Amino acid sequence: MSSETFSHKPRVAVVFGGRSSEHAISVVTAGAVLAAIDREKYDVLPIGITSDGRWALTADDPARMAISDRRLPNVADLAESTEGGVVLPVDPTNREIVYSEPGSVPKALGEVDVVFPVLHGPYGEDGTLQGLLELSGVPYVGSGVLASAVGQDKDYMKRVFASFGLPVGPYEVIRPREWEQDPAAARKKIVDFAGEHGWPLFVKPARAGSSMGITKVDDLSGLDDAIEEARRHDPKILVESLLRGREIECGVLEFEDGPRASVPAEIPPVTAHDFYDFEAKYIDSAAGIVPAPLSAEETARVQELAVAAFDAASCEGLVRADFFLQNNGEFVINEINTLPGFTPISMYPRMWQESGVSYPELIDRLIQSALHRSTGLR
C-alpha cells in the first residue's frame, strides 16, 4: 500500500444505481452507506447512475433510499435534475468532477479522492466501472477489473475455483449463440444434465445477482419458461443441480496483513418461498443466523475456503463467499460477491458486526484501504 496522506478531509464519491436489474438494491445499499459514513472524517458526494446510464447528482438523503411499503427506490426520483450529468475525466492527472446541463456552463465540483462503488451486477460490479476508474487514476473500494469480472460471471468464476482445487458443484452453461442458433440442442444439453444429476435444477443468469432471474425447475414442463426468465437478465445462462444441505456464507475483509474471514452465517430454509430468492432477501427480510451453528472444525474449514476463494480470484477489499454444507459434511462453494449488499439486513455487515467490526468501522476500513492502494498494476 502507498503512504499517501491528506491535508484535507478525503472526498468520497458514493456511486450507486446503475443499468442492471439490481438498480434498486444498489440504491438501498447506498442509503445505508451514506447514513453510516463518518462525516467528521470524510466529505461525501453522492452520485447516482440512472437505469439508462446517466450519471446524476442526487440528494444526500438516506431515508428516501430505503424500501418503503414494498416499493423499490430508484435514482431518477433522487436526481437533482432530469437532464444534468456528472462527468469523471478519463485523465489520471485530473480527478476533477464536472457537472453540466444543456445550455449551461459546466460547473466544477472539485476533486474526488476515492470512489465507493455500491453498484450491483453488470455495468458496475463486473469490472466496467473499475476499468473507467483505472483509466481515470481514481482509487476505489473493492476488487480490480479482473477479479470483478470473474466475480460477476458465474461460469468463469467456477472455472477459476476448480483450477485452484476449490470444491465446485455440477453445472452446465448455455451460451447465447447455442440458444439462438439451435434451442432444441441447447434444451437437450440441459435435459441430459438433469438425467445425470437429477431434478430439480436451478436455471439462472450467468452474470446477475440478488437472486434475480433464478427459477427452480422441478421437471421438463417448466424448463422453457425458466430459460426465458433467465435470458431476460442475461443471454448467457447457468444451470445448476440442487445441492442438498445447508446454505452457509462467510465474509472476507482485507486487513493490513492480508485477508481475514468473518464468523460464518447460515441462511435457514425459507418456508414462504421456494428458495432464498429476491423477495425473501429484500422484501420479506428473511433472517440469517449469525454466527452459523457450526462446529469449530466446520467454521475453520469454511473460513479457510472463503479466503482461498478471495485469493484465487485475485480479489481486493471485500468479498462475501457463499457455500453449501452438504449432508455428507463437505463444503461446496457456490459463488462470491465482490460488492456484496450493505443494506440494513445484508449478511456481509452482520457477519463482521458479530466478528467485532462495526458497520461504520467496516466502511471506514474499506475507504482507508482504497485510499492507500494505487490504481494500475499492483
Side-chain angles (χ1 to χ4, degrees):
M1 292 185 180
S2 70
S3 57
E4 183 176 2
T5 57
F6 294 88
S7 59
H8 59 280
K9 282 201 296 186
R11 197 159 192 233
V12 181
V14 178
V15 180
F16 62 97
R19 294 162 56 190
S20 83
S21 54
E22 298 172 79
H23 177 99
I25 298 309
S26 174
V27 177
V28 175
T29 297
V33 170
L34 289 169
I37 197 168
D38 185 350
R39 303 305 178 103
E40 295 293 320
K41 191 170 183 178
Y42 303 107
D43 283 330
V44 180
L45 178 67
I47 299 174
I49 302 176
T50 63
S51 296
D52 60 4
R54 179 173 64 92
W55 289 45
L57 283 181
T58 66
D60 187 358
D61 189 352
R64 292 172 57 195
M65 299 180 179
I67 297 173
S68 178
D69 297 325
R70 303 178 77 88
R71 283 194 67 232
L72 299 175
N74 65 80
V75 168
D77 292 338
L78 298 162
E80 295 184 355
S81 165
T82 58
E83 295 183 306
V86 174
V87 178
L88 179 66
V90 186
D91 177 356
T93 66
N94 176 19
R95 296 179 183 176
E96 184 102 346
I97 295 283
V98 175
Y99 177 75
S100 63
E101 290 193 43
S104 300
V105 177
K107 179 172 62 175
L109 299 178
E111 291 194 348
V112 166
D113 296 300
V114 64
V115 169
F116 197 135
V118 290
L119 295 138
H120 303 308
Y123 311 110
E125 190 180 352
D126 60 349
T128 50
L129 177 67
Q130 290 75 15
L132 171 65
L133 295 172
E134 291 285 350
L135 289 173
S136 301
V138 179
Y140 53 92
V141 169
S143 290
V145 175
L146 174 66
S148 297
V150 169
Q152 187 63 41
D153 190 316
K154 296 177 180 64
D155 172 18
Y156 286 96
M157 181 198 306
K158 291 175 186 289
R159 292 172 186 267
V160 168
F161 290 159
S163 74
F164 276 81
L166 296 172
V168 175
Y171 71 99
E172 188 60 86
V173 177
I174 304 297
R175 289 177 168 77
R177 190 184 305 155
E178 292 180 84
W179 184 254
E180 291 157 7
Q181 292 185 351
D182 194 344
R187 192 181 295 108
K188 182 180 184 302
K189 189 175 173 181
I190 299 174
V191 173
D192 290 346
F193 178 81
E196 181 179 357
H197 299 286
W199 301 91
L201 304 175
F202 286 94
V203 178
K204 60 177 66 175
R207 296 164 292 195
S210 294
S211 298
M212 290 283 192
I214 301 179
T215 305
K216 182 182 178 185
V217 183
D218 294 314
D219 53 46
L220 191 59
S221 65
L223 184 57
D224 282 2
D225 286 345
I227 292 170
E228 290 306 318
E229 172 59 20
R231 282 176 52 81
R232 282 199 316 111
H233 299 269
D234 185 352
K236 179 181 179 182
I237 67 171
L238 195 77
V239 181
E240 296 175 335
S241 62
L242 174 66
L243 295 177
R244 301 187 186 279
R246 300 160 61 188
E247 291 189 52
I248 306 295
E249 299 184 346
C250 190
V252 180
L253 179 63
E254 197 168 19
F255 286 76
E256 289 78 8
D257 60 350
R260 302 180 197 171
S262 70
V263 300
E266 179 170 5
I267 307 301
V270 186
T271 55
H273 300 265
D274 207 20
F275 61 98
Y276 193 46
D277 61 6
F278 178 87
E279 290 253 332
K281 280 184 180 179
Y282 299 111
I283 304 298
D284 294 339
S285 304
I289 302 169
V290 188
L294 299 172
S295 69
E297 293 77 13
E298 289 169 336
T299 295
R301 176 58 176 159
V302 76
Q303 289 175 326
E304 175 189 17
L305 288 171
V307 172
F310 183 97
D311 286 336
S314 297
C315 295
E316 294 168 292
L318 73 164
V319 149
R320 193 194 73 230
D322 300 346
F323 299 86
F324 289 104
L325 176 54
Q326 299 179 102
N327 295 337
N328 64 4
E330 297 295 322
F331 281 100
V332 169
I333 186 165
N334 183 37
E335 65 180 50
I336 57 171
N337 280 266
T338 55
L339 283 173
F342 272 81
T343 67
I345 61 169
S346 292
M347 298 308 298
Y348 185 84
R350 287 184 59 194
M351 288 187 286
W352 278 109
Q353 175 79 41
E354 190 67 26
S355 304
V357 181
S358 69
Y359 189 28
E361 183 185 349
L362 178 61
I363 292 169
D364 180 64
R365 179 168 288 279
L366 289 169
I367 293 172
Q368 286 297 316
S369 176
L371 281 169
H372 294 93
R373 185 171 64 234
S374 64
T375 54
L377 298 177
R378 52 190 184 272

